[in-house]
């Protein structure tokens, strides 16, 4: 990403004397090469950063209820589209300026962004705090590589070793360049905060790669090839479990050097001696429960650096430790005693993180349930830290809430039919997660949340039962109608055995009068007087019984046709044609009606006959076993189906099965029709592995996650995840 900057585009730099003229030829060459490397490397992270920012703006615009806010987000997206090149130019230009200032005598660099004494807008304040914390996290990740880079750049330009805050490629310089680039876009402060979140995920977390690349380039050119830079003091070891005797003298209270990683004996003279004396006077201490709760509350705030990630992804135990340590030591001056996480609290952080990882593995990927689960991680961690019984009591209120919430999200979200996902249920879950995050951590909070989720699930189940019952009743009516048609077909075949195949009366009885007989059989029954009368009419039309009064016969046939929904005029015409068809083999009216109706009705008849006669046909061994198993299933049997295209697994309930027709109906958790399958189709799916019967549930999602966590800890020791 080579960008040429004019004097007007590049940020102005005020120097009393430009230091570049004092650099050696070698230094000028290497600085130029480093800048070229930086421009090339930064191209992709900056592109990803602005792309992620655009996605966040789009999501905010989609979910906001304020028309004004939506318009502001869309305006920012338009400004971003028009000003992306200008953003890159100002970003790189500020880094050029930072390199130009190498070797200039400056005031000690501050590790935070300046706060004006004037009143700040809350969004501006949140932005400054977010940038401070972003720099702190990035410097903590930089470690030894950042220290070595400060030594090499200092030697290169004949200056003392550079601290992280004064380094041209350090986190402070990068965030300063970011602020300069944001000014070019003219973003509102609250939108800049979104861009800070994109900056961290796309650039700052990968900044160590750039530092390693520049270090390697300087090392390859012979700059301090045997450098072993002095490591800055770190926090106390996370798992130091040896208690210090209270009565021990002051000298014996300091832990042995070899017990603290990255801390080596140093020379007693010079700067190292002074630093060692400061470290000797410093006594790190573990954080109290109240301090940890305050740190977690800070991470849960809407404008915290983690606000975007909460509700989108789970945090590993290592990420949680880093964030907590930053919050715990945010106001501690450099060089003073540090606050660390005690072994007991650290175990709680580790166990909660691992428990959520196990639950996350059991949820559908990229679904609403996964995203909502992450929103419960911080409030549940707070509850576990404040109450030691969380891991001991199976009926703990917080564990019950987690159990009900995860089970409900697993069952009721991400269950789609024809691509329609149950997004209408998500807002209710989001409200509960929001209350868990920002409600007061009092004893009644989780009890109230538990009652609410149970009430919601009860309502959803009731609605699902009503919907399922309607689907089953419709299938039963349809199945009974098919059985009635199948019986009528057999009765007509017996009576039409002596009728020529091409006779118009035969065709008309098959496609019209059969519906009359089937509907009568379904409503009145085969033994009813009405059905017997209709069979007599059938025999009279065929000439098997004397007709007598033809006018009365026509009226009875017309009335029967009207009962299946036929209009009076059409019913009268068809009735007359039925009566005359026996004598008029070439009746034009009958032939014309048959040509109009036969294609549709013929296909319907084939479907009816095949569906009605499937179970009666000869069954294979697999179908016989499936039929036997279906007859033994309970009313609440669940199956798992695998989509052959996407591979997605869906759970469906067997709501109804007909032993007569072999047809089965599967519904979703919400009672919606999902799949209708024949006995042969279901058998093929079971044998082919595309479907399987699920065993009755004996445990919940939380139970399975808890057991997996327990088994994992028995197999391996507790180490940071």
């Amino acid at each position: 990403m080579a960008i040429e900057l004019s004097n007007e585009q590049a940020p102005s730099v005020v120097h009393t004397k430009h230091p570049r003229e004092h650099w050696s030829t070698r230094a000028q060459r290497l600085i130029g090469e480093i800048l070229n490397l930086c421009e090339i490397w930064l191209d992709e992270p900056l592109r990803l950063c602005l792309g992620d920012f655009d996605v966040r703006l789009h999501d905010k615009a989609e979910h906001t209820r304020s028309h004004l806010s939506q318009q502001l987000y869309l305006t920012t997206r338009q400004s971003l589209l028009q000003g992306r090149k200008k953003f890159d130019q100002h970003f790189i230009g500020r880094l050029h300026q930072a390199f130009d200032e190498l070797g200039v005598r400056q005031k000690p660099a501050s590790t935070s962004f300046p706060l004006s004494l004037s009143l700040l807008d809350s969004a501006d304040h949140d932005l400054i705090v977010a940038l401070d914390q972003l720099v702190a996290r990035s410097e903590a990740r930089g470690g030894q590589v950042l220290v070595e880079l400060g030594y090499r750049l200092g030697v290169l330009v004949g200056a003392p070793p550079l601290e992280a805050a004064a380094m041209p490629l350090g986190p402070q310089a990068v965030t300063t360049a970011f602020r300069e680039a944001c000014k070019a876009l003219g973003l509102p402060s609250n939108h800049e905060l979104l861009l800070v979140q994109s900056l961290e995920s796309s650039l700052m977390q990968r900044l160590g790669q750039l530092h390693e690349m520049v270090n390697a380039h300087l090392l390859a050119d012979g700059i301090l090839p045997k450098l072993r830079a002095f490591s800055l003091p770190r926090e106390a070891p996370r798992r130091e479990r040896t208690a210090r005797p209270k009565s021990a003298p002051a000298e014996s209270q300091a832990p042995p050097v070899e017990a603290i990683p990255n801390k080596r004996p140093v020379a007693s003279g010079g700067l190292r001696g002074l630093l060692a004396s400061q470290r000797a006077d410093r006594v790190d201490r573990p954080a109290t429960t109240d301090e940890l709760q305050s740190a977690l509350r800070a991470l849960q705030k809407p404008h915290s650096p983690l606000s975007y990630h909460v509700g989108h992804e789970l945090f590993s135990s290592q990420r949680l430790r880093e964030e907590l340590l930053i919050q715990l030591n945010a106001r501690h001056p450099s060089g003073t005693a540090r606050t660390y996480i005690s072994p007991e609290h650290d175990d709680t952080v580790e166990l909660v993180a691992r428990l959520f990882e196990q639950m996350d593995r059991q949820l559908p990927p990229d679904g609403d349930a996964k995203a909502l689960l992450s929103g419960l991680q911080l409030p549940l961690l707070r509850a576990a830290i404040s109450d030691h019984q969380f891991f001991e009591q199976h009926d703990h209120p917080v564990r019950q809430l987690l159990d009900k919430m995860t089970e409900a999200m697993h069952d009721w979200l991400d269950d789609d039919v024809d691509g329609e996902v149950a997004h209408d249920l998500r807002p209710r879950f989001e409200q509960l997660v929001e209350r868990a995050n920002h409600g007061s951590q009092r004893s009644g909070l989780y009890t109230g949340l538990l009652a609410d989720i149970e009430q919601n699930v009860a309502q959803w189940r009731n609605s699902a039962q009503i919907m399922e019952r309607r689907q089953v009743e419709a299938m039963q009516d349809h199945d009974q109608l098919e059985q009635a048609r199948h019986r009528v077909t057999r009765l007509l075949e017996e009576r039409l055995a002596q009728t020529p195949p091409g006779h118009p009366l035969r065709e008309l009885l098959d496609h019209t009068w059969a519906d009359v007989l089937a509907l009568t059989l379904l409503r009145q029954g085969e033994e009813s007087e009405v059905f017997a009368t209709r069979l007599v009419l059938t025999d009279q039309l065929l000439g098997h019984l004397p007709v007598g009064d033809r006018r009365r016969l026509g009226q009875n046939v017309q009335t029967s046709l009207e009962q299946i929904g036929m209009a009076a005029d059409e019913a009268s015409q068809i009735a007359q044609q039925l009566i005359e068809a026996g004598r008029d083999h070439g009746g034009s009216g009958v032939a014309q009606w048959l040509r109009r109706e036969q294609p549709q009705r013929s296909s319907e008849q084939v479907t009816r006959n095949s569906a009605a006669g499937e179970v009666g046909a000869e069954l294979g061994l697999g179908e016989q076993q499936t039929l036997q198993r279906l007859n033994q299933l309970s009313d609440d049997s669940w199956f798992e189906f695998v989509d052959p295209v996407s591979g997605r697994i869906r759970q469906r309930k067997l709501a109804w099965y007909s032993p007569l027709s072999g047809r089965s109906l599967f519904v979703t958790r919400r009672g919606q029709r999902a799949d209708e399958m024949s006995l042969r189709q279901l058998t093929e799916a079971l044998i082919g592995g595309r479907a399987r019967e699920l065993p009755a549930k004996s445990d919940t999602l939380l139970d399975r996650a808890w057991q997996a966590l327990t088994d994992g800890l028995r197999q391996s020791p507790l180490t940071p995840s």
Side-chain angles (χ1 to χ4, degrees):
M1 183 181 64
I3 300 175
E4 295 182 358
L5 298 175
S6 64
N7 294 332
E8 291 78 8
Q9 291 173 328
S12 60
V13 183
V14 179
H15 292 311
T16 57
K17 191 174 183 180
H18 201 290
R20 191 181 292 269
E21 62 188 46
H22 298 298
W23 293 351
S24 65
T25 304
R26 181 188 189 191
Q28 295 181 26
R29 173 180 59 81
L30 285 174
I31 294 297
E33 292 173 354
I34 290 172
L35 283 170
N36 288 333
L37 287 174
C38 291
E39 291 180 12
I40 295 172
W41 186 89
L42 285 169
D43 180 64
E44 181 183 4
L46 288 179
R47 178 176 55 81
L48 293 176
C49 175
L50 295 181
D52 183 71
F53 179 46
D54 185 68
V55 172
R56 293 175 193 260
L57 289 171
H58 178 268
D59 290 343
K60 288 289 186 180
E62 286 288 322
H63 293 92
T64 185
R65 297 183 179 180
S66 169
H67 175 72
L68 180 59
S69 297
Q70 185 180 54
Q71 187 60 42
L72 288 174
Y73 286 123
L74 296 177
T75 301
T76 298
R77 292 189 69 193
Q78 186 176 6
S79 301
L80 178 64
L81 181 63
Q82 298 172 350
R84 294 185 72 155
K85 184 176 181 181
K86 187 181 295 185
F87 180 91
D88 290 345
Q89 289 175 341
H90 280 73
F91 193 97
I92 298 300
R94 188 61 186 83
L95 289 183
H96 274 268
Q97 178 181 340
F99 271 100
D100 287 343
E101 293 172 352
L102 275 175
V104 177
R105 183 178 297 276
Q106 301 172 342
K107 296 180 180 180
S110 172
T111 59
S112 63
F113 289 88
L115 287 173
S116 173
L117 294 178
S118 60
L119 292 177
L120 288 177
D121 182 80
S122 59
D124 290 330
H125 178 270
D126 292 334
L127 177 62
I128 292 172
V129 172
L131 288 172
D132 284 342
Q133 295 178 349
L134 179 60
V135 170
R137 281 193 297 274
S138 186
E139 288 181 353
R141 285 192 295 265
Q144 192 75 9
V145 175
L146 197 58
V147 175
E148 292 180 2
L149 183 58
Y151 272 83
R152 286 194 169 97
L153 288 177
V155 168
L156 185 62
V157 297
L162 302 179
E163 297 181 2
M167 198 174 306
L169 296 179
Q172 183 76 24
V174 171
T175 50
T176 301
F178 162 80
R179 291 303 305 274
E180 292 288 342
C182 286
K183 292 177 182 178
L185 294 178
L187 302 180
S189 297
N190 58 333
H191 292 189
E192 278 192 66
L193 192 61
L194 282 178
L195 186 50
V196 169
Q197 296 165 357
S198 299
L199 179 73
E200 177 170 22
S201 60
S202 303
L203 174 57
M204 300 302 287
Q205 292 183 1
R206 304 166 57 185
L207 196 57
Q209 301 174 13
L210 179 61
H211 296 157
E212 291 177 354
M213 181 180 68
V214 175
N215 251 329
H217 186 75
L218 293 174
L219 179 61
D221 206 85
I223 305 298
L224 298 182
K226 298 183 179 181
L227 173 65
R228 294 294 182 269
F230 179 75
S231 301
L232 297 178
R234 302 176 183 270
E235 285 78 19
R238 189 171 58 81
R239 296 191 177 277
E240 180 184 346
R241 300 184 181 274
T242 306
R244 303 172 184 168
K246 294 183 179 180
S247 59
E251 294 81 359
S252 63
Q253 290 183 4
V257 173
E258 53 270 21
I260 303 179
N262 300 318
K263 292 188 177 181
R264 305 188 300 272
V266 297
S268 58
L271 294 176
R272 296 194 179 200
L274 293 175
L275 182 58
S277 64
Q278 289 184 0
R279 292 171 55 200
D281 295 336
R282 191 185 75 184
V283 179
D284 295 347
R285 65 174 185 84
T288 64
T289 299
D290 290 341
E291 288 174 331
L292 276 177
Q293 292 288 0
S294 298
L296 285 170
R297 280 197 300 270
L299 296 179
Q300 288 177 278
K301 289 181 179 179
H303 297 298
S304 75
L306 294 185
S307 60
Y308 177 79
H309 300 280
V310 173
H312 290 78
E313 62 183 28
L314 288 175
F315 300 113
S316 66
S317 57
Q318 184 61 35
R319 178 72 186 277
L320 282 171
R321 289 188 192 97
E322 291 176 359
E323 298 296 339
L324 286 172
L325 287 172
I326 290 171
Q327 293 295 331
L328 290 170
N329 296 282
R331 294 182 176 85
H332 291 191
S334 177
T336 60
R338 308 291 289 175
T339 303
Y340 64 93
I341 304 174
S342 68
E344 182 181 6
H345 287 148
D346 187 79
D347 286 345
T348 302
V349 172
E350 181 75 29
L351 290 173
V352 169
R354 289 197 177 199
L355 177 62
F356 273 79
E357 287 173 0
Q358 292 294 340
M359 290 188 292
D360 183 72
R361 293 173 185 172
Q362 302 183 48
L363 293 173
D366 303 325
D368 288 342
K370 251 185 192 302
L372 289 168
L373 175 66
S374 63
L376 294 173
Q377 189 176 17
L378 293 184
L380 266 293
L381 176 57
R382 290 185 61 188
I385 286 176
S386 63
D387 190 349
H388 299 290
Q389 297 301 314
F390 175 82
F391 292 102
E392 307 299 331
Q393 295 180 356
H394 186 273
D395 57 348
H396 193 282
V398 182
R399 282 179 58 174
Q400 290 185 20
L401 173 65
L402 183 60
D403 190 5
K404 295 293 184 182
M405 281 283 287
T406 52
E407 197 71 14
M409 291 188 299
H410 176 268
D411 289 344
W412 295 96
L413 291 177
D414 307 320
D415 191 14
D416 64 292
V417 181
D418 296 330
E420 294 295 329
V421 185
H423 286 308
D424 56 319
L425 301 184
R426 173 162 180 162
R428 190 61 188 134
F429 283 106
E430 288 177 336
Q431 292 174 7
L432 295 172
V433 173
E434 182 74 12
R435 285 175 55 191
N437 269 283
H438 303 298
S440 175
Q441 293 281 321
R442 60 184 187 278
S443 58
L445 171 64
Y446 296 105
T447 304
L449 289 172
L450 179 61
D452 284 352
I453 189 61
E454 289 178 339
Q455 180 181 1
N456 280 300
V457 170
Q459 292 175 352
W460 297 335
R461 283 177 178 167
N462 184 56
S463 299
Q465 289 172 357
I466 295 174
M467 176 69 72
E468 180 183 333
R469 186 161 57 248
R470 291 174 182 171
Q471 301 291 344
V472 170
E473 290 173 354
M475 288 294 296
Q476 289 174 338
D477 292 343
H478 188 270
D479 189 65
Q480 291 173 1
L481 179 60
E482 292 298 323
Q483 294 302 318
R485 284 171 171 165
H486 184 60
R487 175 58 179 160
V488 166
T489 299
R490 291 185 177 180
L491 292 174
L492 285 177
E493 286 176 352
E494 295 173 359
R495 287 167 168 76
L496 293 171
Q498 304 301 322
T499 305
H503 198 291
L505 181 61
R506 180 187 184 97
E507 298 293 335
L508 195 56
L509 287 175
D510 280 344
H511 297 93
T512 303
W513 192 248
D515 289 341
V516 174
L517 294 177
L519 190 60
T520 304
L521 178 62
L522 182 64
R523 291 177 176 175
Q524 307 296 332
E526 189 171 357
E527 304 299 327
S528 66
E529 182 179 350
V530 177
F531 185 71
T533 301
R534 299 282 162 82
L535 287 179
V536 170
L537 291 177
T538 305
D539 290 332
Q540 289 178 332
L541 291 172
L542 289 170
H544 297 165
L545 292 176
V547 174
D549 188 351
R550 289 185 176 274
R551 182 179 179 182
R552 184 176 180 182
L553 175 62
Q555 291 177 346
N556 290 335
V557 173
Q558 178 180 346
T559 301
S560 301
L561 291 171
E562 290 176 356
Q563 290 180 355
I564 64 171
M566 189 175 292
D569 294 342
E570 186 179 7
S572 176
Q573 181 184 2
I574 298 301
Q576 187 64 31
Q577 291 171 347
L578 279 168
I579 295 173
E580 299 297 332
R583 293 179 298 176
D584 183 10
H585 290 194
S588 60
V590 175
Q592 183 179 3
W593 187 89
L594 285 174
R595 283 195 298 271
R596 186 176 73 247
E597 298 291 335
Q598 181 155 359
Q600 178 181 355
R601 290 179 174 267
S602 297
S603 61
E604 291 176 354
Q605 192 69 27
V606 170
T607 303
R608 294 170 189 169
N609 293 343
S610 61
E614 180 177 349
V615 176
E618 183 177 354
L619 299 179
L621 178 60
E623 292 171 326
Q624 292 177 3
Q625 294 174 345
T626 302
L627 180 61
Q628 182 180 5
R629 179 57 187 152
L630 290 175
N631 290 329
Q632 298 173 352
L633 290 178
S634 63
D635 296 335
D636 192 21
S637 298
W638 286 83
F639 284 74
E640 206 170 60
F641 293 91
V642 181
D643 190 319
V645 178
S646 65
R648 183 171 182 178
I649 298 176
R650 296 181 176 90
Q651 293 184 358
R652 299 289 181 250
K653 179 183 178 182
L654 179 62
W656 174 82
Y657 168 73
S658 171
L660 297 175
S661 65
R663 295 166 64 190
S664 56
L665 173 67
F666 292 89
V667 298
T668 68
R669 183 81 55 178
R670 303 178 70 182
Q672 297 173 320
R673 178 191 296 264
D675 298 291
E676 181 183 333
M677 305 179 71
S678 66
L679 176 61
R680 181 165 288 110
Q681 290 172 330
L682 181 57
T683 301
E684 291 175 353
L686 290 171
I687 295 176
R690 298 188 304 276
R692 72 180 184 93
E693 181 188 351
L694 293 177
K697 278 189 177 181
S698 58
D699 54 8
T700 64
L701 186 147
L702 178 61
D703 292 333
R704 296 191 294 273
W706 207 281
Q707 186 60 47
L709 175 59
T710 304
D711 295 342
L713 291 175
R714 286 172 177 167
Q715 295 173 6
S716 61
L718 186 64
T719 56
S721 61

